[in-house]
Structure formats: structure tokens, C-alpha cells
């Protein structure tokens, strides 16, 4: 499918559907621009065709008739049409369309149309949406979905391990105090008598110096608050920040809503895993293993955490932090 864009009576294109969706996601194409492709009887507002979303899913084309008059009713710069050999070559770049300086061609050999300049450039399979304008390289083993690169399973496992280690460090003063006490761990193994286990744990807490308890509480709540800040602003726990991965929405590939990030992926999971580990640590680890096993077998690395919150875990890119353009 060849897609043409227009703004201020100036045409750009043709572009592929993937190129259009990438430009919509990055904000290069806005919802008030005009668009035409085969199957449309006239130029239409982009937002009207995408239902004011930044992702276009065209309906199947019924008619194969091509109406050249539709794409020829906008301004063409003389220097662009003079060197063209076909009607498709009349289109100008988005640089020209947006009133930016034209970027020169790089290599004439083995080149193709660049989706952002409509000029010639050396072929590159990867399309980047980061600040530098070049794609973050994806290795042949990487899984790519739309304009994002899925985070490797091992990176996610490492991020979880880092978060667990940080939690252990936060409760280290409490652990050190418990190691100096004669703790009867059999009282925590009978899951049918949880009240007795709770009463015994309270007795242990009363035996620990108040300064140690205070230090441990400050460290735990400080870590939890820091995690919440990074998750809310960047979609990354500290473990994900260190490993360079991020949580994004499955449909928009941008930061998920607050309810998904904090409600579904943070607080709810925190409650679930605390309950599991309170019964037996083995059960908690089993559920974590099941999650990553599901993710490894999924085409989009989706485990039960991701299904629950409708999110993806991807390699972090600054473009994912950019708010989507709103329709005027």
C-alpha cells in the first residue's frame, strides 16, 4: 500500500503502512494532516481514519482503481517534479512539508526512500525513534513488535533478581538481628495455624531493638517510595532501569496508564507475591517461574503479569516517554 500525506496543500509520500505508523507514534505526522491511499475517494483527515489514535489499521481495499487526480491536487515543488520519472516521485519530503531544511542524500548506490526525508539513503533495516533520530540497533535475535524491541527474557529475570536483592539489602538490619536470636522456624511451616505464626512473629519483633526496627522500616519504605517514583515517571523499577528495559502499553507502545503501572503491575503483584511468600517461599518462586516460562513461549514475551495489565516489557527508548499528540 502506498500512502500519501499532505499539509498546507503540500504533498509528501508515498510511504508504507509501517512507516506511517512509526511517524504517527513519533509525532512527525499529526492527526490534523491529510492522507490518501488507494481505496479512498478523497483526501481525509488522518485522525478521522485512525479514530483519533496514533496507529492506523486500514480496512481491506475493495476497489483496485487508482485515482491519480486525488494525489495530484496539491502543490508540487518544481525541482522535485523536474527530476521525477513517475507520478510517485512528485512527492516532497516531510522536511519540506514541515518547513525544515532538506537533508542531503548520502549514497546513490543501493539506496531507497527514507521515510522521514523522501530522499535517498543507505538501506537500514532498523527504524529509530530516539532523540538522535536513529534507531536503537536490534540484533538478529531480538523480537521486534511495531516500533519497539522486546526485552530479552534474561534481562527481565536479571531485573527481578536486582529488585529482590535491593529488598534483601533494605531488610538486612532486621535479618542480622534475627540471626542472633533462637528462632523456631517450624512455627511458620504450619499454614493451617497462621494465627499462631503471626503471634510468634510479633513476639520476635518485640525482642528486636527499636533502633534496628526503625532503620529497617525506613530503608524498606524508602526503597518502596523510590521504586514507585521510577515506575510512575519512567515505567521502570530500579532493576529495569539498571538493565535498560521498560514497561509499555501493548497497544500504544508508550508509558501505560497510572492504573496499569501502579495498580495492576505494582500494588496488585506486591500483594499477590507477599501472600504467596507468606505461605511458603517455594510457592512464590514457582509462580515467578511460571510467569517467565509463559513469556518465553509467547511471540511477544507476554507472561501472566503482562496479560493481567495488558503491557509489554521492551528495551527502553526515550521515545516511549513522549506523550502522544492529542487531536485538536
Amino acid at each position: 500500500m502506498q500512502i500519501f500525506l499532505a499539509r498546507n496543500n503540500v504533498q509528501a509520500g508515498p510511504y508504507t503502512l509501517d512507516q506511517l505508523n512509526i511517524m504517527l507514534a513519533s509525532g512527525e505526522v499529526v492527526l490534523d494532516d491529510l492522507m490518501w491511499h488507494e481505496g479512498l475517494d478523497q483526501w481525509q483527515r488522518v485522525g478521522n481514519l485512525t479514530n483519533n489514535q496514533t496507529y492506523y489499521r486500514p480496512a481491506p481495499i475493495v476497489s483496485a482503481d487508482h485515482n491519480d487526480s486525488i494525489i495530484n491536487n496539491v502543490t508540487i515543488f518544481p525541482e522535485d517534479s523536474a527530476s521525477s520519472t513517475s507520478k510517485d516521485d512528485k512527492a516532497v519530503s516531510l522536511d519540506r512539508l514541515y518547513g525544515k531544511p532538506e537533508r542531503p542524500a548520502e549514497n546513490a548506490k543501493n539506496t531507497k526512500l527514507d521515510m522521514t526525508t523522501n530522499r535517498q539513503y543507505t538501506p537500514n533495516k532498523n527504524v529509530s525513534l530516539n532523540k538522535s533520530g536513529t534507531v536503537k540497533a536490534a540484533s538478529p535475535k531480538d523480537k521486534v513488535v511495531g516500533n519497539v524491541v522486546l526485552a530479552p527474557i534474561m534481562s527481565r529475570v536479571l531485573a527481578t533478581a536486582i529488585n529482590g536483592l535491593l529488598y534483601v539489602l533494605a531488610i538486612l538490619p532486621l535479618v542480622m538481628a534475627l540471626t542472633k536470636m533462637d528462632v523456631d522456624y517450624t512455627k511458620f511451616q504450619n499454614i493451617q495455624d497462621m494465627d499462631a505464626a503471626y503471634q510468634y512473629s510479633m513476639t520476635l519483633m518485640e525482642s528486636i531493638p527499636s533502633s534496628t526496627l526503625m532503620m529497617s522500616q525506613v530503608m524498606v519504605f524508602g526503597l518502596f517510595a523510590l521504586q514507585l517514583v521510577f515506575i510512575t515517571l519512567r515505567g521502570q523499577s530500579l532493576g529495569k532501569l539498571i538493565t535498560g528495559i521498560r514497561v509499555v502499553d501493548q497497544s500504544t507502545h508508550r508509558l501505560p496508564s497510572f492504573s496499569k503501572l501502579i495498580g495492576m503491575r505494582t500494588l496488585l503483584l506486591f500483594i499477590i507475591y507477599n501472600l504467596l511468600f507468606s505461605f511458603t517461599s517455594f510457592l512464590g518462586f514457582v509462580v515467578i517461574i511460571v510467569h517467565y516460562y509463559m513469556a518465553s513461549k509467547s511471540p511477544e514475551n507476554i507472561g501472566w503479569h503482562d496479560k493481567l495489565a495488558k503491557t509489554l516489557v521492551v528495551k527502553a527508548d526515550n521515545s516511549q516517554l513522549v506523550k502522544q499528540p492529542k487531536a485538536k
Side-chain angles (χ1 to χ4, degrees), residues 218-280:
V218 169
M219 292 176 67
V220 169
F221 284 111
L223 174 63
F224 189 66
L226 192 60
Q227 292 277 36
L228 285 179
V229 169
F230 276 95
I231 291 172
T232 303
L233 298 180
R234 300 184 61 86
Q236 296 171 297
S237 63
L238 293 176
K240 287 184 172 63
L241 181 67
I242 294 171
T243 55
I245 61 179
R246 171 180 289 123
V247 175
V248 297
D249 189 275
Q250 285 185 11
S251 58
T252 65
H253 295 173
R254 304 291 182 88
L255 279 187
S257 63
F258 182 85
S259 60
K260 285 185 179 181
L261 271 177
I262 302 302
M264 301 298 291
R265 281 198 67 101
T266 304
L267 297 181
L268 182 59
L269 290 180
F270 180 79
I271 294 172
I272 290 174
Y273 280 113
N274 266 278
L275 291 175
L276 291 173
F277 280 101
S278 65
F279 285 107
T280 168

Side-chain angles (χ1 to χ4, degrees), residues 9-227:
N9 204 35
V10 179
Q11 175 186 315
Y15 303 104
T16 66
L17 180 59
D18 287 341
Q19 291 171 343
L20 171 66
N21 284 327
I22 290 175
M23 291 188 290
L24 279 169
S26 66
E28 287 187 275
V29 173
V30 297
L31 298 180
D32 286 330
D33 288 340
L34 298 178
M35 178 168 66
W36 180 89
H37 60 73
E38 186 178 2
L40 299 178
D41 57 355
Q42 61 182 355
W43 288 89
Q44 295 191 38
R45 179 178 172 272
V46 173
N48 293 343
L49 294 172
T50 65
N51 292 322
N52 289 325
Q53 303 297 315
T54 55
Y55 195 87
Y56 182 43
R57 297 181 179 86
I61 299 175
V62 178
S63 173
D65 295 335
H66 188 82
N67 189 349
D68 288 338
S69 63
I70 293 177
I71 65 171
N72 289 333
N73 64 356
V74 293
T75 301
I76 304 297
F77 288 91
E79 60 270 31
D80 290 320
S81 59
S83 59
S84 300
T85 58
S86 66
K87 288 174 184 174
D88 290 344
D89 291 333
K90 292 181 180 180
V92 298
S93 68
L94 279 184
D95 288 336
R96 179 71 63 86
L97 190 65
Y98 285 26
K100 301 176 182 177
E102 292 278 357
R103 281 172 279 187
E106 293 180 3
N107 281 327
K109 252 186 196 182
N110 299 324
T111 57
K112 61 182 179 180
L113 287 177
D114 181 352
M115 69 179 182
T116 58
T117 65
N118 203 28
R119 300 302 184 195
Q120 301 296 322
Y121 81 112
T122 304
N124 187 346
K125 293 181 180 179
N126 298 322
V127 179
S128 179
L129 296 179
N130 60 21
K131 288 183 179 179
S132 63
T134 58
V135 169
K136 181 173 284 189
S139 70
K141 294 183 179 180
D142 284 332
K143 295 181 181 179
V144 180
V145 177
N147 60 342
V148 296
V149 179
L150 297 179
I153 298 298
M154 290 309 299
S155 294
R156 297 174 61 175
V157 173
L158 179 59
T160 301
I162 291 173
N163 287 329
L165 178 60
L166 291 174
Y167 178 74
V168 171
L169 292 176
I171 63 172
L172 189 60
L174 184 61
V175 173
M176 295 297 292
L178 289 173
T179 57
K180 298 178 181 178
M181 302 172 61
D182 185 16
V183 180
D184 183 5
Y185 292 101
T186 59
K187 293 185 178 294
F188 298 101
Q189 296 174 356
N190 185 7
I191 62 175
Q192 295 180 347
D193 193 2
M194 294 302 298
D195 185 59
Y198 175 76
Q199 293 297 331
Y200 181 66
S201 64
M202 294 302 296
T203 302
L204 290 175
M205 291 299 104
E206 292 174 357
S207 304
I208 296 175
S210 58
S211 59
T212 302
L213 282 176
M214 179 67 70
M215 181 185 300
S216 183
Q217 289 174 350
V218 169
M219 292 176 67
V220 169
F221 284 111
L223 174 63
F224 189 66
L226 192 60
Q227 292 277 36

